[in-house]
Amino acid sequence: MTTTASNSLQNIVIYTNNKISLDFYKPFEDGLNPILFTVKTLEQIPRKTENKIHIVILESCDELSNLQINCNKIHLIMPAFLKNKLENDLHALIFKYEQSMNSQQALENLYHSFIKFYCSAEYYLDPQDFFNSDSYKDGYRCINIHEILQDNVSYEQQLHTYLNTISNTETVSFNFSIGYEFSSESGYLQLIENTVDHLTYAKDRDVFFSVVLSKHPLSDNRLAIVHLSQ
């Protein structure tokens, strides 16, 4: 796991045959490293791994059937009802979105809950940390996302209930989005410590933490819990 600070440019390439808006990215509202977004078609998926974050968005079974993915280490966004047709050597993190979402909403959910980890200026994480070849089953891992309002009275109960559903062998990521007006650094460090107390640790479990200091009001502050099933 990489925890050193970084101010390097993060390259994120989105592959989709649908129109995608990047309005969700507010570079001056969150403490993130600069991000260069590029949108390409599915036909432009590279034939080998590049030093970029690749996000492939699918919406139909036809797209999945015709897709030729030749590079490893991608984020694959796909509807939950699509069946996986992936080679065993394809190292992918798969986020399946429900029918109530469209691909734009799924992209924004994945970005705010997980991709921000890669771009946090203070707690920088390397995307390679999540592509551990020893943790793959059938060549891919599934991304599961849950969010809890941190200033909600039921925060502790929701947190405890949800963490109990996560296997002791799964990788867990905590992404704290905390307003600049939060009382103090010691305040959010205590919040993190209280959260960790609810997590059952097991041998070889990977746990990642990220803190994004946001200009959004405290009522919008959320903890995104992402667990990667194996």
Side-chain angles (χ1 to χ4, degrees), residues 3-230:
T3 56
T4 56
S6 171
N7 58 4
S8 60
L9 177 70
Q10 300 294 311
N11 288 288
I12 298 181
V13 187
I14 301 171
Y15 302 93
T16 178
N17 287 341
N18 299 288
K19 186 176 180 180
I20 290 295
S21 170
L22 299 177
D23 290 343
F24 62 86
Y25 171 51
K26 308 294 184 182
F28 300 108
E29 292 187 5
D30 290 320
L32 302 178
N33 286 321
I35 301 173
L36 175 62
F37 276 105
T38 305
V39 180
K40 298 184 178 182
T41 65
L42 295 177
E43 291 72 26
Q44 293 176 292
I45 295 175
R47 293 187 173 276
K48 63 180 180 179
T49 302
E50 301 173 343
N51 187 26
K52 298 176 181 178
I53 299 172
H54 299 281
I55 303 176
V56 177
I57 305 176
L58 304 177
E59 280 197 338
S60 71
C61 292
D62 290 339
E63 287 181 327
L64 182 61
S65 300
N66 298 327
L67 189 62
Q68 295 295 324
I69 299 180
N70 299 297
C71 68
N72 290 333
K73 301 175 181 177
I74 64 170
H75 301 78
L76 183 58
I77 300 177
M78 57 191 293
F81 58 83
L82 288 188
K83 293 183 179 180
N84 296 327
K85 181 187 176 184
L86 301 170
E87 298 295 333
N88 288 343
D89 61 351
L90 174 63
H91 286 185
L93 300 182
I94 300 177
F95 172 57
K96 293 186 177 182
Y97 62 92
E98 302 298 328
Q99 288 183 317
S100 59
M101 284 186 178
N102 57 38
S103 57
Q104 175 73 39
Q105 293 170 319
L107 172 62
E108 294 182 21
N109 190 5
L110 185 66
Y111 169 75
H112 287 293
S113 300
F114 189 52
I115 301 299
K116 272 185 179 180
F117 269 27
Y118 304 150
C119 309
S120 172
E122 186 174 356
Y123 294 88
Y124 174 71
L125 294 176
D126 191 326
Q128 305 305 317
D129 292 334
F130 296 97
F131 290 97
N132 181 348
S133 60
D134 295 332
S135 301
Y136 281 85
K137 178 181 180 182
D138 299 327
Y140 60 87
R141 304 176 73 185
C142 293
I143 301 174
N144 305 281
I145 295 174
H146 184 73
E147 291 186 323
I148 306 175
L149 276 173
Q150 295 172 32
D151 59 345
N152 190 295
V153 292
S154 61
Y155 170 82
E156 294 283 342
Q157 181 178 354
Q158 290 184 52
L159 177 68
H160 182 72
T161 300
Y162 189 74
L163 290 180
N164 281 341
T165 68
I166 300 175
S167 166
N168 289 343
T169 61
E170 294 180 4
T171 299
V172 182
S173 303
F174 297 98
N175 185 2
F176 294 86
S177 178
I178 297 176
Y180 281 110
E181 72 271 32
F182 201 79
S183 56
S184 66
E185 178 178 299
S186 61
Y188 69 71
L189 291 178
Q190 183 63 47
L191 177 63
I192 295 175
E193 183 177 335
N194 293 343
T195 300
V196 173
D197 288 342
H198 288 285
L199 182 66
T200 300
Y201 283 91
K203 184 180 180 181
D204 298 328
R205 178 202 283 278
D206 288 325
V207 183
F208 298 86
F209 299 91
S210 179
V211 177
V212 175
L213 295 179
S214 172
K215 290 185 178 179
H216 298 292
L218 282 174
S219 59
D220 294 335
N221 292 173
R222 294 177 180 273
L223 164 65
I225 306 173
V226 180
H227 60 107
L228 284 71
S229 58
Q230 300 174 5

